[in-house]
Amino acid sequence: MTASRVLVLNSGSSSVKYQLLDMRDSSRLAVGLVERIGEQLSRLKHTPLAAGGESREWTGPIADHDAALKAVAAELAKDGLGLDSPELAAIGHRVVHGGKHFTEPTVVDGAVLAEIERLIPVAPLHNPANLTGIRTAQALRPDLPQVAVFDTAFHTTMPESAARYAIDVETADRHRIRRYGFHGTSHAYVSRATAKLLGKAPQDVNVIVLHLGNGASASAVRGGRCVDTSMGLTPLEGLVMGTRSGDMDPAVIFHLARVGDMSIAEIDTLLNKKSGLIGLCGDNDMREIRRRIDEGDERAQLAFDIYIHRLKKYIGAYYAVLGRVDAIAFTAGVGENAAPVREAAMAGLDQLGLAVDAELNAVRGDEPRLISPAGARVAVAVVPTDEELEIATQTYALVGSTDMRPRREGND
């Protein structure tokens, strides 16, 4: 296969993030973002990396995703990287929810689109935007393979004992209620990168991956396969996050409806957008929270303590699930940059072989690195995630092993 470029698209409800990579050496040729789609002051920022070019920004009305992708194509064309290039092998799309059905990256056809659409009720904020991005890209390049890479796919290896909720089985199956997990491309990439950092094969390593950003999730990875993860039917379950509550007694919802006279929509907004760190102290930026703590702010301190307490509970639980842990890997915005979070999460866990070296933990960098003391029984690592590279890698691997001629089945 001579074509070696993959365009990665992450289509949100009002934004499109993109990267163009050359898979011969995994180098980035261009990166960019279109935001505030549908508004009069939409913004496109494009950075051509291949020639070391400077970023270009454009502000103005971008009506919809079709217009957004056409604008992206125009910017790429200015750098000789247009969508009509014969070197473009495929377009890889991040799709948040693939349910149980999609366990691997998948070439998009009518049946795939229909299944992603059927999953909208369990991913109402994400799958519609992902679908729009795919359909728009198909219209621009109908001859080019479109590949869907699912956030949930990495977690489909969870055993039923981890994936099932303890509710009536028939009801659960009828409404597709189970634990799916999210951030799968990050957990897949980081677990493999951690094994590489240790000089071992993924199948020989047990890793607890802590993806800590505004959204946060943990996973227990045994020999390269996910056996448990903190997010569930939706990204609301699990760790304390920037604006999401994470784990909570489900009866709180009934209580708020009965006693607080709140609607389902109001409770949904409360738990997803007004809870977590922002609900506890009014800030969801860990840097600001740490600044407030340094100034003696008690609300910020309590929010931080609750965040760490929940994180430690998951570390301990996944240690028990795995039985043997070779490494803890911190990743994403908070995990990669907030040394106090890493220090606090490991504090008091010496009996589990977990500790951080203060000097190593204080070092900042873009490369995977160990922050545990020399000779530690369990490695503690900081591993920058690279979800776009993971999507491109999976897309390119599929393009190289599959008949890529577009299929014309209908939409059912």
Side-chain angles (χ1 to χ4, degrees):
M1 182 178 58
T2 55
S4 61
R5 295 175 183 171
V6 173
L7 177 63
V8 175
L9 294 179
N10 181 352
S11 299
S13 58
S14 61
S15 67
V16 175
K17 297 177 184 178
Y18 64 94
Q19 291 194 14
L20 180 65
L21 298 95
D22 189 328
M23 299 314 297
R24 289 176 296 185
D25 58 3
S26 299
S27 62
R28 285 171 174 75
L29 304 178
V31 301
L33 168 68
V34 186
E35 57 186 350
R36 299 193 292 271
I37 295 171
E39 300 181 17
Q40 287 300 307
L41 292 177
S42 306
R43 173 176 171 267
L44 188 158
K45 182 177 181 179
H46 174 85
T47 305
L49 300 174
E54 295 185 359
S55 295
R56 302 190 293 268
E57 289 196 33
W58 181 88
T59 302
I62 297 179
D64 51 29
H65 282 70
D66 179 68
L69 283 186
K70 287 178 179 176
V72 169
E75 290 300 321
L76 289 168
K78 292 176 183 177
D79 305 310
L81 304 170
L83 296 190
D84 58 350
S85 169
E87 295 185 59
L88 188 60
I91 298 178
H93 299 265
R94 179 197 181 211
V95 178
V96 167
H97 216 308
K100 288 178 63 179
H101 184 73
F102 296 111
T103 63
E104 302 286 346
T106 304
V107 179
V108 174
D109 58 21
V112 172
L113 285 172
E115 183 62 22
I116 296 172
E117 191 161 16
R118 277 194 284 268
L119 286 164
I120 286 175
V122 290
L125 299 179
H126 298 94
N127 274 30
N130 302 154
L131 277 168
T132 299
I134 293 172
R135 287 172 171 147
T136 302
Q138 284 179 322
L140 289 175
R141 280 296 305 268
D143 61 314
L144 199 67
Q146 311 285 331
V147 176
V149 178
F150 300 89
D151 273 11
T152 50
F154 183 65
H155 303 303
T156 57
T157 56
M158 284 192 295
E160 286 292 280
S161 56
R164 283 273 183 184
Y165 290 111
I167 65 172
D168 175 67
V169 171
E170 291 184 1
T171 301
D173 288 348
R174 185 182 313 120
H175 299 291
R176 304 186 183 205
I177 299 172
R178 63 187 288 113
R179 300 184 61 250
Y180 294 102
F182 298 89
H183 295 143
T185 52
S186 177
H187 287 279
Y189 176 86
V190 170
S191 59
R192 284 202 318 274
T194 302
K196 183 178 179 181
L197 180 64
L198 299 181
K200 298 180 179 180
Q203 59 266 29
D204 297 328
V205 176
N206 290 355
V207 186
I208 297 173
V209 178
L210 304 173
H211 177 109
L212 308 179
N214 193 49
S217 60
S219 67
V221 183
R222 178 184 291 125
R225 293 167 61 85
C226 177
V227 295
D228 207 348
T229 192
S230 59
M231 287 180 167
L233 174 72
T234 75
L236 181 59
E237 187 181 357
L239 302 175
V240 174
M241 303 176 225
T243 65
R244 299 180 195 136
S245 65
D247 292 341
M248 185 187 68
D249 181 350
V252 169
I253 296 169
F254 315 143
H255 181 77
L256 290 173
R258 286 194 298 257
V259 178
D261 196 29
M262 294 178 68
S263 68
I264 291 297
E266 289 172 328
I267 296 171
D268 189 317
T269 298
L270 171 70
L271 299 182
N272 277 290
K273 297 181 179 179
K274 297 181 179 180
S275 296
L277 293 172
I278 204 163
L280 289 167
C281 71
D283 272 309
N284 63 330
D285 187 320
M286 188 58 72
R287 293 166 296 188
E288 181 63 16
I289 291 171
R290 290 303 309 177
R291 184 193 66 77
R292 288 171 55 184
I293 289 172
D294 291 341
E295 293 178 353
D297 189 309
E298 293 183 359
R299 280 188 66 190
Q301 183 67 65
L302 178 59
F304 183 82
D305 291 345
I306 293 171
Y307 183 95
I308 295 298
H309 179 75
R310 185 80 55 83
L311 189 55
K312 281 191 174 184
K313 285 176 67 173
Y314 269 92
I315 292 168
Y318 287 172
Y319 206 118
V321 166
L322 291 170
R324 187 199 84 238
V325 175
D326 299 298
I328 306 284
F330 288 89
T331 194
V334 174
E336 294 170 27
N337 298 300
V341 168
R342 300 191 295 262
E343 179 184 7
M346 296 292 100
L349 302 182
D350 307 71
Q351 293 299 312
L352 297 179
L354 296 170
V356 296
D357 179 285
E359 290 187 9
L360 294 176
N361 190 37
V363 174
R364 297 177 69 94
D366 297 326
E367 297 297 322
R369 61 194 184 277
L370 294 176
I371 60 172
S372 45
R377 188 165 88 243
V378 179
V380 180
V382 178
V383 181
T385 192
D386 198 332
E387 294 175 89
E388 289 76 18
L389 177 58
E390 180 68 18
I391 292 170
T393 299
Q394 292 190 27
T395 297
Y396 194 64
L398 184 61
V399 167
S401 62
T402 307
D403 181 358
M404 291 289 101
R405 289 170 295 181
R407 290 179 281 178
R408 301 295 183 187
E409 292 126 55
N411 290 325
D412 55 1

